[in-house]
Amino acid sequence: AVSEHPNPGIAIGEAVGQVLDQVGPGPDLAVLFIAGHHVDSVRQSGEVISSTLGVQTLVGATAVSVLAHRQEIEESPAVVLWAGHTGPCRPLRLGTDSSSFPDIEPGSSVVILADPFSYDPSVLLSTLPPQVEVVGGFASASSQPGGNRLLLDDAVYEDGAVAVALPPGLGIRPLVSQGCRPVGEPFTVTEANDNLLIELGGRPSVDRLRDLVSTADDRTRSLIGRGLHIGVVVDEQREAFELGDFLIRAVLGVDPSQGWVAVGDRVPVGTTVQFQVRDAATASAELRTLVQPLRADSALVFTCNGRGTNLFGRSGHDAEHLSDGLATTAVAGMFCAGEIGPVGSRHFLHGFTASSLLLGAQSLD
């Protein structure tokens, strides 16, 4: 359900009314995505949803922009409310000092909404129980600490994270589109220091980068100039590396005199990497390729606030691709200041991705 009414009380009323018409009262779970214009009404909105809808578990977050169905509502007043009969869900409050992931039943899936200024997901992601998938994102309504709001049942928080564990048996599947394509050749990291790639394949990393630029076509060279990335292979056991095999990290800088390339993560010696570029055409093609063999009843979407109009020149891109490709209009989500989702068998914090949790997913292959 979605409402763009500028009055938050009316907007929540319209959204709740739509949910009641579609799924009836007493859903097991509701997820609220609320634009920053309504940040001061989060508590009241939660109270109305709980009392009127009779929902068992409620989570939510504020965002700079939200999406619903085939539309993305950017930087304007809007409320998006997703609700469903999922079976009993488990609400989770993850404070800033949470040292490990709570005990979760294998086969469960977790939706997490976090504050970007106070919550580090690295510990959580490193302590995930087996066979648990986590998808979510960071609130993006405010660029200042304390400016975002997180909602968990009847409580509102300005820091940490809130989450909900969905029970097994819902046909859940994560989908993470990173929007990059590899360029040049893959190389083994032969020397590194923390996040500095010193040698790739036995040669200085800067030399490998120079070779890439000198042999690239004009379009690729232009994309390299706008921003270069590195793809870190997640599963080294593969003989060839394809779409979805890389964890994408930004190239932060180079030092021609020292020969190193700085990237946005630690990359151990022995890891396979490949330079990557990102543009609208690449991001669109990747998302379309990932969605094409799938259908789903619904999707919760966490897309980067650098996508949308900023990347594609228009709003609605990710929402349209997911809704049309999955053959469902039950798509809801928010624009994030960082997204969480799996690549291969591990979970990571991403940027510039469209990370989704599909429910009732089926493969056409």
Side-chain angles (χ1 to χ4, degrees), residues 46-341:
E47 292 171 351
V48 172
I49 293 169
S50 295
S51 61
T52 307
L53 195 57
V55 63
Q56 301 301 307
T57 300
L58 172 64
V59 294
T62 54
V64 63
S65 305
V66 295
L67 62 92
H69 313 311
R70 299 181 73 254
Q71 63 179 317
E72 295 169 2
I73 306 164
E74 299 189 32
E75 301 184 21
S76 297
V79 166
V80 172
L81 181 63
W82 181 99
H85 297 287
T86 61
C89 296
R90 179 181 173 188
L92 302 167
R93 164 60 176 165
L94 305 171
T96 57
D97 58 349
S98 297
S99 58
S100 64
F101 199 82
D103 184 26
I104 299 295
E105 181 182 0
S108 301
S109 299
V110 175
V111 175
I112 180 171
L113 306 171
D115 172 62
F117 301 101
S118 60
Y119 188 75
D120 180 358
S122 58
V123 173
L124 176 144
L125 298 180
S126 66
T127 59
L128 279 181
Q131 301 177 346
V132 172
E133 302 282 9
V134 177
V135 174
F138 283 99
S140 61
S142 175
S143 59
Q144 301 293 326
N148 291 296
R149 299 292 184 273
L150 305 172
L151 177 65
L152 183 64
D153 292 332
D154 59 354
V156 176
Y157 303 96
E158 297 180 3
D159 60 7
V162 298
V164 58
L166 283 71
L170 296 176
I172 285 179
R173 177 168 180 162
L175 184 150
V176 177
S177 177
Q178 299 186 83
C180 277
R181 66 174 171 91
V183 291
E185 300 295 325
F187 297 105
T188 300
V189 177
T190 48
E191 186 177 353
N193 181 11
D194 196 31
N195 72 322
L196 302 181
L197 301 179
I198 299 172
E199 284 189 357
L200 298 178
R203 290 183 56 198
S205 298
V206 165
D207 289 351
R208 297 295 190 187
L209 181 54
R210 289 194 183 104
D211 292 345
L212 172 64
V213 174
S214 65
T215 57
D217 58 45
D218 290 343
R219 181 172 181 273
T220 300
R221 193 177 296 117
S222 175
L223 293 176
I224 292 172
R226 296 180 199 173
L228 187 63
H229 304 264
I230 199 82
V232 182
V233 169
V234 175
D235 184 0
E236 294 282 355
Q237 303 303 313
R238 292 183 177 271
E239 295 183 1
F241 308 118
E242 303 175 350
L243 187 70
D245 291 335
F246 297 95
L247 172 65
I248 306 301
R249 291 295 185 249
V251 171
L252 304 178
V254 299
D255 187 326
S257 63
Q258 299 295 320
W260 51 253
V261 174
V263 300
D265 208 344
R266 298 182 63 182
V267 184
V269 170
T271 303
T272 303
V273 299
Q274 189 168 1
F275 288 112
Q276 312 265 332
V277 292
R278 174 184 281 117
D279 67 341
T282 297
S284 183
E286 185 192 25
L287 182 56
R288 185 167 54 249
T289 299
L290 291 173
V291 172
Q292 187 273 329
L294 300 172
R295 295 293 183 269
D297 295 331
S298 185
L300 292 170
V301 184
F302 305 90
T303 190
C304 179
N305 55 21
R307 292 173 69 102
T309 302
N310 290 323
L311 180 61
F312 301 105
R314 65 178 184 87
S315 65
H317 176 276
D318 289 344
E320 290 173 9
H321 275 64
L322 288 162
S323 183
D324 295 347
L326 297 172
T328 179
T329 58
V331 173
M334 70 178 193
F335 282 56
C336 303
E339 309 82 55
I340 295 171

Side-chain angles (χ1 to χ4, degrees), residues 31-52:
V31 186
L32 175 66
F33 305 106
I34 187 165
H37 301 76
H38 299 324
V39 66
D40 293 329
S41 65
V42 171
R43 184 180 300 278
Q44 181 184 10
S45 298
E47 292 171 351
V48 172
I49 293 169
S50 295
S51 61
T52 307

